[in-house]
Amino acid sequence: PSIENASMEWEITEALVEKFSEFILAEVMEKGSGMKDRRGRQISDAGVYEKARMRTTAEEPRMDMLQTLVNARINHPRDRSIEPLDVVVHREVTTSELHGIIMVDVSGSMEENLRLEAAKRSVLALTQAIKRENPRNKVDIISISTRARPVTLKEVMTLEPHGFTNHQEAFAIARSIFDGSRSDRHLLFLITDGLPEAYLDVSGDPVAGDLDRSMELTLVE
């Protein structure tokens, strides 16, 4: 179903949007967008593990026997022994928490050619992809119109195109969020169809129409 149909036919809840985002991400991955599962990596309650060469003999209990035997056969086919360089183990990777911010343009021009529909799908897929990598990862979403503001994933479903594009305020909000973040990795995504069109003056009021000033202040942020 489309984003619009979902918002009209179902009672929108955070849980429903989370589930819908899983479907969107699965569809994106199926179409071969490049968002693939990481090869050689597995998730367990103890952490994230990857297959890698053995570094010390203390890692022998976590040996991947099949891959090790394959390596031995390739590395020295006439010798049936297993050498240290053949051994592959499951090594726990120190996981770091990611804080992602998705800024999505909902200005008037996003009404054309179903751009906002595509943008909403992108927000859902990105949110799910970030959290899928590590459930502790955090995602914030900022909608951009003449004013920018944080929104929930549920609110994304009901966003309507209006106003101008205030990238400057959106970047300012994102910077403030990152300044207070405890995550050690930050990613910022910008979904937009155009250049900055608006900004906030010294009084904090939005001003639209001066494209050069809008770009200048956006680049500052």
Side-chain angles (χ1 to χ4, degrees):
S2 69
I3 301 294
E4 279 76 8
N5 287 340
S7 64
M8 289 188 296
E9 297 174 3
W10 300 331
E11 178 185 355
I12 298 176
T13 65
E14 287 291 338
L16 176 62
V17 178
E18 286 281 354
K19 179 58 65 175
F20 194 65
S21 68
E22 293 179 13
F23 297 146
I24 297 296
L25 178 60
E27 181 180 299
V28 170
M29 295 177 66
E30 185 178 347
K31 289 182 178 178
S33 68
M35 297 173 62
K36 302 295 184 181
D37 287 332
R38 297 186 178 187
R39 300 282 181 173
R41 179 167 283 197
Q42 63 185 37
I43 306 296
S44 75
D45 292 337
V48 180
Y49 290 77
E50 64 178 3
K51 290 182 181 180
R53 298 286 186 183
M54 184 178 68
R55 293 175 181 168
T56 68
T57 56
E59 293 181 319
E60 285 182 348
R62 297 196 295 272
M63 181 189 302
D64 184 309
M65 183 59 70
L66 179 59
Q67 187 62 56
T68 297
L69 291 174
V70 170
N71 288 348
R73 178 63 62 88
I74 293 174
N75 294 339
H76 40 86
R78 298 180 183 276
D79 185 354
R80 293 185 178 275
S81 64
I82 295 176
E83 301 296 334
L85 289 179
D86 303 329
V87 179
V88 173
V89 299
H90 291 287
R91 180 179 301 124
E92 185 171 4
V93 180
T94 302
T95 57
S96 57
E97 293 184 18
L98 170 67
H99 192 160
I101 296 179
I102 306 171
M103 305 193 304
V104 56
D105 186 348
V106 297
S107 63
S109 61
M110 293 291 287
E111 186 174 12
E112 302 173 8
N113 300 320
L114 299 177
R115 291 172 185 167
L116 187 54
E117 167 78 3
K120 290 179 180 181
R121 293 173 63 87
S122 298
V123 171
L124 295 180
L126 279 170
T127 299
Q128 186 63 30
I130 292 171
K131 291 185 176 181
R132 191 167 180 250
E133 179 179 319
N134 183 344
R136 294 190 299 271
N137 288 346
K138 182 177 177 59
V139 181
D140 282 291
I141 305 168
I142 300 171
S143 69
I144 309 173
S145 185
T146 306
R147 297 298 306 262
R149 65 184 182 92
V151 295
T152 65
L153 194 60
K154 175 182 174 180
E155 289 178 299
V156 168
M157 300 287 284
T158 57
L159 291 174
E160 297 291 339
H162 66 284
F164 297 92
T165 311
N166 192 340
H167 285 137
Q168 181 238 352
E169 186 177 18
F171 276 106
I173 294 172
R175 181 165 53 83
S176 176
I177 293 173
F178 278 151
D179 285 346
S181 174
R182 295 183 178 181
S183 300
D184 55 353
R185 290 191 297 152
H186 295 160
L187 280 180
L188 182 64
F189 300 89
L190 173 61
I191 303 172
T192 186
D193 69 338
L195 299 175
E197 301 172 319
Y199 62 92
L200 298 183
D201 62 18
V202 293
S203 302
D205 297 320
V207 177
D210 188 337
L211 302 185
D212 290 338
R213 183 61 173 162
S214 298
M215 176 63 79
E216 177 186 348
L217 292 177
T218 297
L219 292 176
V220 169
E221 291 298 340

